[in-house]
């Protein structure tokens, strides 16, 4: 929707460019995540915002407790 909201047409605002950007993001992100498995916390984001927020808060709290006791 970025292209529709913009008054200026960008050359890279098309479906193929978007697919490449998403693919690049996924590839690069995965390379980073595999380097830090013990620091990674995966959450189910296919739920309500409130449940996701509660999980994020819990994950942050757990991290802070671990740092405080380390």
């Amino acid at each position: 929707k970025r292209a529709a909201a913009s008054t200026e047409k960008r050359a890279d605002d098309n479906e193929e460019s978007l697919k490449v950007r998403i693919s690049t993001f996924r590839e690069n992100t995965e390379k980073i995540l595999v380097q830090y498995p013990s620091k990674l916390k995966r959450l189910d984001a296919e739920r309500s915002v409130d449940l996701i927020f509660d999980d994020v808060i819990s994950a942050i709290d757990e991290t802070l407790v671990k740092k405080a006791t380390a």
Side-chain angles (χ1 to χ4, degrees), residues 1-10 13:
K1 292 187 178 186
R2 177 179 69 177
S6 176
T7 58
E8 186 178 320
K9 176 70 175 148
R10 291 177 45 141
D13 272 337

Side-chain angles (χ1 to χ4, degrees), residues 27-40:
E27 181 181 326
N28 291 337
T29 300
E30 192 58 36
K31 287 178 183 177
I32 294 168
L33 296 179
V34 297
Q35 293 181 35
Y36 303 99
S38 65
K39 295 180 185 250
L40 178 64

Side-chain angles (χ1 to χ4, degrees), residues 9 11-22:
K9 176 70 175 148
D12 65 344
D13 272 337
N14 58 62
E15 187 175 344
E16 190 57 37
S17 292
L18 179 59
K19 287 178 181 179
V20 170
R21 286 196 298 265
I22 290 171

Side-chain angles (χ1 to χ4, degrees), residues 43-58:
L43 304 174
D44 178 6
E46 298 290 329
R47 301 171 298 142
S48 74
V49 171
D50 290 334
L51 290 175
I52 296 167
F53 183 76
D54 289 343
D55 281 354
V56 170
I57 295 299
S58 293

